[in-house]
Amino acid sequence: MLRIRPATPEDAAVLARFRVLLFREMGRLEGDEAEFAHASENYFAWALSTEREVAWIAEDMGEAVAVLAMTLEPMPPKPGRPRLVEAFMHNVYVLPDRRLRGLAGRLTRTALDYAKAEGIRRVRLFTSDDARWMYERLGFQPHGRYLELKL
């Protein structure tokens, strides 16, 4: 049974493991892999304990099969908007044997629902060419080097 749940600081190792897999697959894992994994785990443990990061984990029978994280960026207030936060979606990774089943889309819609509920009006992300179609189908538009969705 597949379920998507919010990540907690206790899930930092899971998020870090998926981040290592992501960078390895992109061919961008340079330096000491264990050091990168440790730094990533420390980051997620810290960031998820603050209001700076939210993340979700898709689990199948208790096993993590996909993740998504989103950094929340406080911005200076604007007239009529005393609390202004933008979001940067990252660390979206689905295990290879679970791809093309809608998991990335479900995680992305979960994150977008959260953003809307929190009054976040802009979500940005970088993506691979292989996944661009999915984000564009959800309404993301090219904006410089990244994709952007205005909510």
Side-chain angles (χ1 to χ4, degrees):
M1 174 88 177
L2 183 75
R3 76 175 183 132
I4 294 175
R5 66 171 179 82
T8 68
E10 290 74 30
D11 294 309
V14 172
L15 294 166
R17 179 172 59 92
F18 275 73
R19 188 164 178 80
V20 168
L21 293 171
L22 172 69
F23 276 81
R24 184 187 298 152
E25 188 171 308
M26 290 188 311
R28 294 185 53 213
L29 190 58
E30 301 170 6
D32 185 312
E33 184 174 308
E35 183 180 315
F36 177 65
H38 182 71
S40 296
E41 184 173 347
N42 286 341
Y43 168 78
F44 284 116
W46 166 79
L48 288 169
S49 68
T50 70
E51 293 184 3
R52 297 270 319 193
E53 191 86 19
V54 291
W56 293 269
I57 299 173
E59 295 178 328
D60 188 7
M61 297 182 5
E63 174 193 355
V65 296
V67 300
L68 180 150
M70 197 161 59
T71 301
L72 307 178
E73 303 172 357
M75 305 298 288
K78 292 182 179 178
R81 299 206 37 219
R83 180 179 181 265
L84 185 59
V85 176
E86 294 181 356
F88 183 77
M89 194 178 299
H90 62 92
N91 218 67
V92 182
Y93 189 81
V94 178
L95 293 176
D97 66 335
R98 301 302 181 105
R99 292 184 184 159
L100 300 175
R101 298 180 190 180
L103 286 174
R106 285 181 63 185
L107 282 165
T108 301
R109 284 189 294 280
T110 298
L112 295 176
D113 288 346
Y114 172 88
K116 287 177 191 172
E118 291 295 313
I120 296 168
R121 295 201 179 159
R122 181 165 65 167
V123 178
R124 294 173 289 140
L125 62 88
F126 293 104
T127 187
S128 67
D129 290 337
D130 292 341
R132 179 178 294 273
W133 65 270
M134 187 219 31
Y135 296 109
E136 289 178 344
R137 191 175 71 194
L138 291 170
F140 282 85
Q141 300 291 317
H143 190 273
R145 295 181 3 172
Y146 53 87
L147 296 179
E148 175 181 277
L149 178 65
K150 292 184 179 177
L151 302 172

